[in-house]
Amino acid sequence: MSDDKDEVKKHTIEIPEITRVEGHSAVQIEIANGKVQNVMLDVFEGTRFFEKIVLGHNYEEIPHITSRVCAICSTGHVLAAAFAIEKIFGIECDELTTIFRRVMHLGMFIESHSTHIYALALPDFVGATDLLDFASRFKDEFSNWTQLRNLGTQIQSVIGGRPFHPVNLHVGGLSSIPGKDKLASLITQLEAARPLALDTCQLLMRFKPPIERTSEPVFMALIPVDGKYGYFGNKILSSHGFMADVSEYKQYLNEKAVWYSHAKRSSIEGASLFVGAMARLYLFNDILKGEASNIYTSSPLAKGDHNSIWNNLAQSIEIVQAIDECIELLRVLLERYQDAKAVNKSNLKMKPGAAVGAVECPRGTLYHFYELNNEGQIVAADMVTPSAQNTARIEMDIKETVEQFADYESADLQKSLETLVRAYDPCNTCATHMVSVSYT
Amino acid sequence: MQTTGKVYAPVKVSDLSYSFKAVETHSDIAFEALRTILPPKKFFFPQEETIVMCDGDQISEVVEVPTPFVVFGVHPCDLAGLLALDKIFLSAPLDSHYQRRRRAAVIVGLSCLPDKHCFCRSMGTDTPNKGYDLFLTDLGEEFYVQIKSQAGLEVIQACSTFVQSVNNDDNDSYKDFWSERDKLFERTFDSSKLPNLMDMGWNDPVWDQLAERCLSCGNCTPVCPTCYCFDMVDVAMFNTQKMEAKRDRVWDSCQFSGFAAVAGGENFRPGPIDRLKFWYRHKLHGFDDAIEIPSCVGCGRCTVSCPAGIDDLPGVVLTLLQKTNMKDAVQ
Amino acid sequence: MKSDGTLPKIAVHGLTGCAGELLVILENLGTVLPYVQVASFPFAQSKNDIKDVDIAFVEGSVSQEHDIEVLNKIRSHSKWLVAVGNCAVHGCVQSSTCAKFTPQEMVESVYGKDSAIKALEAKPLSSYVEVDVSLSGCPIDKNQFLAVLASLLKDHLPYIIERPVCLECKMRENGCVLIEKNLPCLGPVTAAGCGALCPSFDAACYGCFGPCKDPQLDAMTLILQEKGYNLSDVLVRLGTFGIPEAVLSNLDVRR
Amino acid sequence: MIDFNATKCGASPFLPQKCMIRAITKLAQDNYLFEVQLDNKEMFANCKAGQFFQVYVPGSGEAPISISALSRKNCLEFCVRKIGRVTSALFQTKPGDWIGLRGPYGNGFPIERMEGKNIIMVAGGLGVAPLRSLWHSILDDRAKFGKIVLIYGMKHSQDLLFRNEFRQLIQRHDMEVFVAAEEINGPSIAALDFQIGRVTDLLNLAHFDQEYVAALCGPPVMYRFVVDELKKRGLHDQNIFLSLERHMKCGMGKCGHCSIGGHFACLEGPVFSLAQLNFMKEVVECHGPSL
Ligand SMILES: Cc1cc2nc3c(=O)[nH]c(=O)nc-3n(C[C@H](O)[C@H](O)[C@H](O)COP(=O)(O)OP(=O)(O)OC[C@H]3O[C@@H](n4cnc5c(N)ncnc54)[C@H](O)[C@@H]3O)c2cc1C
Ligand code: SF4
Ligand code: SF4
Ligand code: SF4
């Protein structure tokens, strides 16, 4: 499409609907005189206003409602909400409850990462036209996905009641303790699936990124609470050495607005925020253990190659980490099974107040903020999803990619762009804030 | 007993509830269980079962031949409940699906002491006289065993080391047990008055009061030992193994709004009040003249499983008896 | 297989929702692929053809102009239109609030006063087009989904029962959490299909499958109030997962 | 060990018989006549006017459908209105396809008690379907019965079923036939005297007295008015027969859906005399004291 009103030659590339990302989005790029002027990642997922929806609801309902922001990260939303409300009440769950939550959360990682890698991204890498083509031509890989994904859904079903939108996770803890035999069978399944996870890493390591990265992003993630690689925490750390309590998220996400938010004109010093698997590995690879650590060391990531495409590889390393940690945690649960206790509602002392809960989700840090009144009803709420934080970086990446191509009409460019966007897996269903960055 | 087959007995499943479940050892059994959530009917008329299968060109019956099994700890009311179900499923045309399971079962009855919700005595279902293979009366240290069938005898022979023949003392303590038990019933009435009562009290305001609270949740019916209503559900399937569809029989409840609706929009029991009255009448009036046994066996399950607390059958009966001046029936 | 030897075509689309049904369908694609041709599934494949399909599954509520356009297009190109999930059938959590705030209020509260975003009141598909089959659930039950698809492949309407969760709960022999634990269980007014999941985990049903047929909301409200829950919490809870305003407004306490 | 399988259990009463559809005729919009071949001689021999079958469409389900006629060559005719799930599936079948049949169920009309008597039949809408099997039985043995009145009412004239058959019936001199519609539109039917109005209006035209036996089939509202009228004319409660429609899933007194008070409509009915119904609390409740 060209626009002749301007003196300069303008060129617009439109990719109407990027398929195979978890949501709907389109990219619009305006080019004038060989320079990219605007990149607009337009999210046309209908907005759902969760911040407003939850108002007036009793705190007990909040995890169930926010879970509906996104099926894929539903466990993350449930936990972020529960963390925030528990902070308001000034309570902390007992150790075993936290372990159950961790296992559940890792189950989500296994499911989400494997689905993203195999069903959404890999078909690009191997040149399959789509998942169905992929399924028929790459039977083994397809079955890897089925098995890994089943593992993740199994874990979440045993602990949470179903593969997503869990029913067993509540403010304060679990409503019922899963059967011992079921927990034991999870260990067997985890052990059986472990080799597949290792294969996945090897598989992804062999691909060559189709596009080169030019600028370094700023990585940011939660600092794991207990010093082990993990996803629960109360403070964030950036690759620039910035550190803050999550309760200040409003300030720091805004403060850095120059490089985080409005990516329209230019990214200051070429750096924009990048959250997710790659960020976590960049920041905390030193506390990885076992096989996951070994794989990281041998990967391009360890050599400082931060091409966004490697996000998928980072995810596969996290799957290995998740499997090993799950096995370890489940063993603890089995050993101390009789100490496990379901939440007793009458012991929950409701208090008014406000707090922020945060958790690392597959795509990055998720923040939930709530304020409760005396009745335990929500009077204010805010959520910031990982995808929202990554959008600026995606636009930036698109810009850099386009500039690497001479021929804007080329089909390759369109394909590369789609591949690139998919590598981030911008989960637009959860993009409660994303729309604000997509207009010029 | 395990020589006969799998043994099912009451097991504790929550703070207040018990359920018939497969047991391995004596210690799994909750002997104290008064009423299980579901009555033993589930073993013969399961919650869901596939009755008919269909492939492209054949329809066939699903024949499940159950291996012999034992249901242990069936109280007198539940024995009566099974006899009531027999009247439905074993009357012509005979329901072979039910019959097969009924044949495979050895029923071991067990005595019990009533709580405030029990009213089997008023319904005449408190004494076990048939429907069991063995009946155990708990005499404290030992059980008094009554043998009703060959199957029961064989179970006893299999564990002959624990069994002694009955002496006079035993007979006395047996009698004592049952007469002591009889004294424990808190609320009793004369059930022969029930059909009249339901007719006379048909327009009583008590129904409006109850119906206002009725959730139409249907909890009262699956838990009832004599409720047998079901729906037939067709499930289409992909042609794997040439199976196109199956017909499942699934428990249904007269308390659901579409239960009596027919084509053309007519619903014979549109409101909770219509359905609730229907149910009460059905339980207390019996199967009319069609089958001459009560269709309520006084187990009290509906009373304890109604979230709205409106299925206090003896309570409603007593209220109506007062109102309709049939006080003499209150004993 | 159709008479011309081709497989029937299906399409899977998402409007405004959480992708839950898309995920359920994606995860069961292995089972259905031998029997259908997937003409369109933007979530899972790149080449998508909205042209005439036999069965279209649509997830999500209608919450913006773009949704209406897509929905109309799907409707005009499909023989059977199946609304999958609570969003598509009842409007789910996003529709519950629209009764309290206007769409513009919501946009402003989240995106600021001069936002260019246009939002519509979230509504189920049936508010805009004719829906042939409604399969609720949040998310839908995979067995129900497979049965619906198998029925429609025979051109038969599926049998979807809208009895209360309590029936499944009792069939699974759970102790009633409303009675035993005083939890605010919505099982009596919620459609079954999940297998009484929450009560099986000792938790209260929060109504995610939407209302059962002819829900007795007055009695439910009365009983929860007697258990000590305050009326406003009860009403909010009843409306959370898309009990239609028309049904809710029949409530005595609301009138 | 006891051999629990010593006595074999019979076949499931839920198992339908496979039957071939011989012909499908459109009678009116959404009303088709299905001619189905029933090879099972025993089943066929048992069939009586007013009884019904559970018709099974593979993969979709069963619906109770009345026998509308017993045609020669072991065929049954079912007149079906497309109203929901199963009936729609049935409408998709073609001649040559097979469906399943279980039955016959129910008591049927008490033809023995009608012998030697004058008979008035009142059909409303689709209620004509089961009554048709009754007049067939009567006309087959015409000499055994007295005078015959047949009244048939419907909403719209284009809902008229069995149009050709009525044309012939009207020409018979051994019976009185009245047809009415509340609304008449579309082409009029030659030799068919359509009245405007309801069945109750036709009752006023018909000649009958308390000596008649009445057979009714139609929607519940119709019963209320027709029964009133019949009683005004002095018909005895024992001589008024109504075929009741109830939700039915099994047809053999087990599923409980058709229960009226303590009675099973599928076993004791669907045809009941008014005298019986007077003692069935629930019917009285639903249809008002006149029933
Ligand atoms: C004894 C008897 C004889 C009948 N004879 C005929 C006949 O000759 N021709 C004819 O067209 N129809 C007849 N019917 C009605 C016919 O059975 C229903 O129209 C049919 O069952 C509807 O099934 P469906 O699956 O198409 O409808 P659904 O989609 O299941 O439901 C549509 C409506 O029909 C009602 N319904 C569903 N199942 C039944 C059922 N088993 N019994 C009654 N209503 C039901 C529902 O409550 C709903 O209101 C008869 C019914 C009875 C009881
Ligand atoms: S009587 Fe009680 S248990 Fe039965 S439907 Fe009504 S509320 Fe539910
Ligand atoms: S727990 Fe809930 S769903 Fe189950 S019976 Fe009780 S009220 Fe019904
Ligand atoms: S019990 Fe209720 S809230 Fe829980 S899964 Fe089922 S329908 Fe949803």
Side-chain angles (χ1 to χ4, degrees):
Chain A
M1 231 193 282
S2 58
D3 192 335
D4 295 324
K5 269 184 281 167
D6 277 22
E7 303 276 302
V8 282
K9 180 149 167 48
K10 239 187 172 184
H11 192 100
T12 309
I13 304 173
E14 277 187 75
I15 303 175
E17 184 165 1
I18 300 189
T19 52
R20 280 197 284 137
V21 294
E22 292 165 2
H24 321 253
S25 47
V27 183
Q28 215 183 46
I29 304 152
E30 282 177 17
I31 302 161
N33 297 334
K35 274 254 169 238
V36 177
Q37 302 290 322
N38 271 324
V39 173
M40 289 165 286
L41 184 63
D42 180 6
V43 179
F44 44 80
E45 175 68 31
T47 41
R48 302 209 286 159
F49 310 106
F50 275 85
E51 287 90 340
K52 206 78 176 159
I53 288 174
V54 294
L55 298 188
H57 283 275
N58 189 281
Y59 74 87
E60 281 181 28
E61 277 194 88
I62 300 309
H64 302 314
I65 299 177
T66 56
S67 147
R68 269 69 187 185
V69 170
C70 166
I72 298 143
C73 312
S74 52
T75 296
H77 283 280
V78 167
L79 288 177
F83 288 157
I85 294 167
E86 285 161 11
K87 269 191 205 164
I88 300 178
F89 294 173
I91 53 171
E92 227 169 89
C93 288
D94 61 62
E95 199 189 337
L96 289 183
T97 302
T98 308
I99 296 184
F100 271 116
R101 285 176 168 182
R102 271 177 201 266
V103 177
M104 177 79 187
H105 197 68
L106 293 169
M108 168 180 75
F109 268 77
I110 298 172
E111 183 194 359
S112 171
H113 277 351
S114 62
T115 297
H116 182 212
I117 294 171
Y118 281 103
L120 306 175
L122 209 56
D124 279 336
F125 293 167
V126 299
T129 48
D130 53 45
L131 177 61
L132 311 175
D133 179 38
F134 177 67
S136 47
R137 279 171 45 209
F138 298 87
K139 288 212 166 59
D140 289 348
E141 284 75 15
F142 189 77
S143 115
N144 281 359
W145 171 49
T146 324
Q147 290 179 58
L148 283 171
R149 176 251 293 159
N150 280 351
L151 174 68
T153 54
Q154 264 301 311
I155 295 173
Q156 293 183 89
S157 301
V158 167
I159 295 169
R162 54 183 167 195
F164 46 92
H165 300 330
V167 302
N168 196 21
L169 304 189
H170 307 267
V171 174
L174 272 60
S175 52
S176 127
I177 302 297
K180 215 173 169 171
D181 45 335
K182 288 193 179 143
L183 296 177
S185 91
L186 285 183
I187 297 188
T188 327
Q189 293 175 50
L190 281 156
E191 279 164 349
R194 198 170 177 276
L196 302 179
L198 298 176
D199 288 353
T200 308
C201 297
Q202 295 311 325
L203 185 77
L204 289 167
M205 207 104 77
R206 291 204 306 269
F207 290 110
K208 255 189 71 74
I211 328 145
E212 274 164 47
R213 145 96 69 204
T214 47
S215 67
E216 277 294 298
V218 176
F219 294 114
M220 191 157 90
L222 284 180
I223 306 173
V225 266
D226 56 358
K228 288 196 283 183
Y229 195 89
Y231 307 105
F232 297 177
N234 293 312
K235 282 190 163 53
I236 55 102
L237 176 70
S238 88
S239 50
H240 283 181
F242 177 81
M243 213 198 279
D245 195 276
V246 292
S247 59
E248 294 159 35
Y249 77 100
K250 274 213 153 122
Q251 288 88 29
Y252 63 73
L253 288 181
N254 272 335
E255 254 167 34
K256 316 279 176 194
V258 268
W259 47 260
Y260 142 70
S261 184
H262 298 266
K264 291 163 237 157
R265 297 289 161 242
S266 59
S267 326
I268 304 282
E269 293 157 33
S272 47
L273 184 59
F274 192 163
V275 294
M278 225 161 101
R280 290 186 290 260
L281 277 179
Y282 176 89
L283 292 165
F284 305 114
N285 59 67
D286 52 323
I287 50 174
L288 270 179
K289 283 211 300 233
E291 201 55 40
S293 169
N294 296 342
I295 300 171
Y296 176 81
T297 321
S298 66
S299 78
L301 293 166
K303 300 182 190 86
D305 180 353
H306 297 138
N307 193 310
S308 313
I309 298 290
W310 293 127
N311 196 34
N312 293 129
L313 174 60
Q315 290 172 324
S316 70
I317 298 176
E318 287 197 332
I319 297 181
V320 174
Q321 188 273 337
I323 289 179
D324 287 345
E325 195 183 342
C326 265
I327 295 176
E328 203 177 298
L329 294 175
L330 282 165
R331 292 216 171 103
V332 176
L333 286 177
L334 286 177
E335 240 164 63
R336 300 169 50 193
Y337 188 77
Q338 62 289 353
D339 301 336
K341 286 206 177 41
V343 57
N344 185 345
K345 247 181 66 174
S346 43
N347 293 348
L348 274 184
K349 283 258 165 0
M350 205 239 315
K351 265 197 268 176
V356 177
V359 66
E360 280 295 318
C361 279
R363 287 160 198 78
T365 324
L366 169 69
Y367 303 86
H368 276 214
F369 161 82
Y370 298 105
E371 188 183 334
L372 296 184
N373 66 11
N374 286 321
E375 313 285 317
Q377 294 157 341
I378 305 290
V379 291
D382 188 32
M383 282 164 224
V384 182
T385 58
S387 297
Q389 298 163 56
N390 271 342
T391 307
R393 178 68 221 172
I394 301 176
E395 288 179 339
M396 161 100 211
D397 255 4
I398 292 173
K399 184 168 181 267
E400 289 176 6
T401 308
V402 173
E403 282 168 355
Q404 287 174 29
F405 275 79
D407 176 11
Y408 302 131
E409 309 280 356
S410 118
D412 269 3
L413 172 59
Q414 170 141 358
K415 230 183 129 239
S416 302
L417 287 178
E418 285 195 36
T419 309
L420 179 76
V421 175
R422 269 201 288 275
Y424 284 89
D425 190 14
C427 179
N428 298 331
T429 45
C430 73
T432 46
H433 282 296
M434 275 185 77
V435 189
S436 57
V437 295
S438 60
Y439 294 89
T440 34
Chain B
M1 272 185 293
Q2 281 176 341
T3 54
T4 311
K6 224 179 178 128
V7 179
Y8 297 91
V11 166
K12 197 171 167 85
V13 291
S14 77
D15 295 348
L16 301 175
S17 308
Y18 299 89
S19 160
F20 278 103
K21 290 226 148 80
V23 291
E24 296 291 334
T25 69
H26 183 265
S27 60
D28 292 345
I29 303 177
F31 284 92
E32 76 281 10
L34 186 56
R35 51 178 88 76
T36 48
I37 299 176
L38 294 182
K41 73 172 173 186
K42 68 173 180 179
F43 295 113
F44 311 104
F45 167 44
Q47 291 90 321
E48 263 178 293
E49 71 181 303
T50 302
I51 296 251
V52 172
M53 286 279 204
C54 168
D55 67 22
D57 11 73
Q58 281 309 321
I59 330 174
S60 50
E61 176 188 353
V62 176
V63 184
E64 187 207 316
V65 183
T67 47
F69 62 98
V70 179
V71 186
F72 176 88
V74 183
H75 296 321
C77 56
D78 281 350
L79 291 174
L82 284 178
L83 292 176
L85 281 195
D86 287 353
K87 295 267 182 189
I88 294 292
F89 289 114
L90 300 182
S91 64
L94 206 121
D95 187 309
S96 51
H97 309 272
Y98 178 86
Q99 188 193 24
R100 268 185 223 109
R101 298 200 187 85
R102 200 72 172 92
R103 282 225 183 110
V106 173
I107 307 271
V108 182
L110 178 66
S111 65
C112 49
L113 298 172
D115 71 0
K116 63 178 181 196
H117 300 301
C118 294
F119 58 107
C120 53
R121 187 155 171 75
S122 306
M123 298 311 292
T125 50
D126 60 322
T127 10
N129 39 31
K130 48 181 179 180
Y132 59 85
D133 297 286
L134 286 177
F135 194 90
L136 311 185
T137 301
D138 187 349
L139 300 180
E141 305 283 276
E142 50 191 6
F143 288 110
Y144 185 97
V145 184
Q146 286 160 287
I147 304 170
K148 197 72 164 191
S149 70
Q150 182 65 24
L153 181 65
E154 284 176 36
V155 171
I156 288 299
Q157 281 164 349
C159 49
S160 55
T161 42
F162 304 106
V163 191
Q164 298 165 335
S165 48
V166 177
N167 58 33
N168 275 345
D169 279 357
D170 295 335
N171 279 337
D172 286 344
S173 23
Y174 173 80
K175 277 182 227 151
D176 286 349
F177 172 88
W178 288 100
S179 60
E180 282 306 309
R181 186 216 57 166
D182 288 353
K183 291 182 196 148
L184 294 173
F185 287 96
E186 286 181 22
R187 292 184 292 184
T188 50
F189 49 83
D190 175 1
S191 61
S192 67
K193 298 281 197 306
L194 291 179
N196 268 338
L197 179 75
M198 284 309 291
D199 289 344
M200 291 177 68
W202 191 252
N203 292 317
D204 197 280
V206 75
W207 302 117
D208 298 293
Q209 289 155 19
L210 297 182
E212 213 164 80
R213 305 175 57 82
C214 181
L215 296 159
S216 292
C217 64
N219 270 351
C220 41
T221 59
V223 302
C224 178
T226 67
C227 274
Y228 53 85
C229 291
F230 59 83
D231 190 6
M232 296 294 281
V233 177
D234 286 82
V235 187
M237 298 189 292
F238 297 106
N239 287 36
T240 38
Q241 291 112 42
K242 283 206 81 191
M243 212 46 80
E244 280 202 343
K246 54 178 188 155
R247 307 208 75 208
D248 288 350
R249 158 152 82 184
V250 186
W251 287 4
D252 201 350
S253 168
C254 59
Q255 298 306 301
F256 301 148
S257 69
F259 187 83
V262 296
E266 188 83 15
N267 187 347
F268 295 102
R269 290 185 284 274
I273 185 160
D274 311 308
R275 302 191 286 265
L276 192 67
K277 270 161 92 169
F278 169 82
W279 180 79
Y280 260 94
R281 186 180 183 284
H282 184 56
K283 292 294 139 186
L284 296 177
H285 209 294
F287 295 78
D288 264 307
D289 303 322
I291 293 167
E292 282 138 20
I293 47 165
S295 63
C296 170
V297 293
C299 71
R301 280 193 182 87
C302 54
T303 315
V304 301
S305 355
C306 175
I310 56 175
D311 289 337
D312 181 13
L313 260 148
V316 172
V317 167
L318 291 173
T319 315
L320 281 178
L321 285 172
Q322 299 284 353
K323 287 198 173 179
T324 51
N325 282 328
M326 286 165 63
K327 289 197 199 90
D328 54 324
V330 183
Q331 291 163 344
Chain C
M1 189 93 71
K2 300 216 250 188
S3 50
D4 62 0
T6 60
L7 290 173
K9 286 187 189 153
I10 67 163
V12 185
H13 290 277
L15 304 178
T16 303
C18 76
E21 278 65 45
L22 304 184
L23 208 58
V24 171
I25 296 175
L26 180 69
E27 294 187 344
N28 288 287
L29 219 49
T31 317
V32 308
L33 274 183
Y35 311 103
V36 299
Q37 185 189 336
V38 182
S40 181
F41 194 169
F43 184 64
Q45 61 184 23
S46 307
K47 283 214 188 63
N48 293 293
D49 189 1
I50 218 162
K51 288 230 184 63
D52 298 338
V53 293
D54 295 275
I55 310 165
F57 293 95
V58 181
E59 179 209 86
S61 63
V62 177
S63 305
Q64 53 178 340
E65 298 286 340
H66 180 257
D67 291 343
I68 303 180
E69 282 164 37
V70 175
L71 182 60
N72 283 330
K73 203 158 151 202
I74 298 170
R75 174 69 277 186
S76 62
H77 287 290
S78 46
K79 184 155 124 203
W80 296 103
L81 179 72
V82 189
V84 279
N86 191 320
C87 288
V89 177
H90 299 297
C92 205
V93 290
Q94 62 268 30
S95 76
S96 66
T97 324
C98 287
K100 289 184 283 174
F101 308 101
T102 67
Q104 212 43 46
E105 273 174 342
M106 299 222 259
V107 171
E108 283 174 16
S109 76
V110 179
Y111 301 104
K113 270 241 177 304
D114 31 45
S115 161
I117 297 158
K118 281 196 204 71
L120 297 173
E121 208 173 287
K123 291 230 174 95
L125 308 187
S126 58
S127 304
Y128 293 94
V129 295
E130 194 188 324
V131 171
D132 300 306
V133 178
S134 293
L135 179 62
S136 187
C138 187
I140 49 169
D141 175 76
K142 81 167 214 225
N143 292 324
Q144 280 191 331
F145 162 72
L146 293 174
V148 165
L149 178 57
S151 280
L152 292 178
L153 288 178
K154 294 183 172 57
D155 273 338
H156 288 167
L157 281 166
Y159 189 24
I160 300 167
I161 308 172
E162 292 168 327
R163 296 191 181 127
V165 170
C166 291
L167 180 69
E168 288 184 339
C169 189
K170 283 285 99 42
M171 297 211 307
R172 284 183 73 158
E173 232 177 333
N174 295 328
C176 176
V177 300
L178 190 58
I179 298 174
E180 294 189 14
K181 295 185 189 281
N182 265 333
L183 296 180
C185 188
L186 296 187
V189 295
T190 302
C194 63
L197 208 50
C198 295
S200 307
F201 278 84
D202 285 341
C205 166
Y206 50 88
C208 79
F209 270 55
C212 66
K213 202 169 172 187
D214 199 9
Q216 299 301 317
L217 299 184
D218 278 316
M220 190 79 239
T221 313
L222 183 74
I223 280 145
L224 290 181
Q225 274 183 280
E226 284 173 3
K227 301 228 172 242
Y229 293 94
N230 73 42
L231 182 62
S232 69
D233 275 358
V234 171
L235 292 177
V236 164
R237 190 176 170 85
L238 281 175
T240 305
F241 278 85
I243 286 195
E245 188 56 28
V247 179
L248 261 184
S249 62
N250 280 338
L251 260 174
D252 265 342
V253 286
R254 275 269 182 110
R255 261 180 245 144
Chain D
M1 271 298 299
I2 318 144
D3 184 2
F4 282 92
N5 302 317
T7 15
K8 276 189 71 181
C9 293
S12 170
F14 287 95
L15 190 65
Q17 291 270 322
K18 257 179 81 170
C19 297
M20 214 241 293
I21 300 177
R22 294 289 295 268
I24 302 175
T25 322
K26 179 173 174 178
L27 300 176
Q29 178 71 33
D30 286 342
N31 280 279
Y32 285 5
L33 187 70
F34 294 83
E35 196 185 3
V36 184
Q37 183 169 331
L38 179 62
D39 291 327
N40 187 318
K41 295 228 164 52
E42 199 187 330
M43 272 165 84
F44 192 79
N46 282 336
C47 293
K48 252 183 87 182
Q51 287 187 308
F52 65 95
F53 275 83
Q54 286 286 349
V55 175
Y56 173 59
V57 185
S60 178
E62 284 182 343
I65 304 290
S66 306
I67 302 171
S68 187
L70 296 162
S71 52
R72 349 321 71 208
K73 2 158 231 195
N74 280 340
C75 278
L76 293 165
E77 285 177 16
F78 296 107
C79 166
V80 182
R81 174 169 296 169
K82 180 168 146 184
I83 189 129
R85 224 167 32 80
V86 178
T87 45
S88 305
L90 189 59
F91 270 54
Q92 303 213 4
T93 56
K94 295 180 289 303
D97 289 352
W98 64 268
I99 55 172
L101 290 184
R102 288 196 286 127
Y105 293 124
N107 56 354
F109 290 105
I111 302 233
E112 331 70 55
R113 291 184 49 191
M114 296 178 171
E115 281 178 18
K117 305 244 170 73
N118 299 331
I119 298 163
I120 175 165
M121 290 174 266
V122 185
L126 192 60
V128 75
L131 277 180
R132 179 170 171 249
S133 61
L134 178 61
W135 79 65
H136 281 186
S137 303
I138 293 173
L139 296 180
D140 279 352
D141 241 341
R142 184 66 189 88
K144 280 194 183 162
F145 301 88
K147 290 188 200 147
I148 298 172
V149 179
L150 172 58
I151 291 175
Y152 174 25
M154 69 213 75
K155 263 225 163 54
H156 304 283
S157 59
Q158 74 253 51
D159 296 340
L160 174 74
L161 305 174
F162 309 111
R163 160 181 314 237
N164 291 334
E165 191 165 336
F166 270 95
R167 204 175 277 158
Q168 287 161 14
L169 288 175
I170 281 175
Q171 274 152 12
R172 283 180 80 121
H173 300 292
D174 55 357
M175 66 190 289
E176 260 190 291
V177 180
F178 300 92
V179 181
E182 285 170 43
E183 273 174 45
I184 298 188
N185 33 23
S188 67
I189 296 136
L192 214 159
D193 234 358
F194 249 121
Q195 315 276 340
I196 301 186
R198 298 161 189 264
V199 276
T200 33
D201 304 324
L202 295 179
L203 284 174
N204 295 327
L205 299 176
H207 304 279
F208 67 99
D209 54 28
Q210 73 262 37
E211 292 312 314
Y212 274 66
V213 176
L216 275 50
C217 189
V221 270
M222 179 193 103
Y223 288 156
R224 217 162 293 158
F225 296 107
V226 172
V227 165
D228 266 355
E229 188 59 35
L230 294 179
K231 288 180 75 155
K232 259 188 233 151
R233 300 279 195 107
L235 265 73
H236 298 290
D237 286 2
Q238 309 89 285
N239 287 337
I240 303 177
F241 294 96
L242 303 91
S243 177
L244 298 189
E245 185 181 349
R246 283 294 184 276
H247 201 110
M248 291 176 187
K249 289 289 181 185
C250 71
M252 47 201 177
K254 308 209 187 294
C255 80
H257 280 264
C258 70
S259 170
I260 308 177
H263 303 269
F264 291 112
C266 66
L267 291 181
E268 296 164 61
V271 182
F272 292 95
S273 75
L274 190 57
Q276 280 175 295
L277 294 179
N278 281 339
F279 293 94
M280 290 164 60
K281 192 108 216 156
E282 262 218 312
V283 179
V284 181
E285 284 293 304
C286 289
H287 300 286
S290 71
L291 247 191

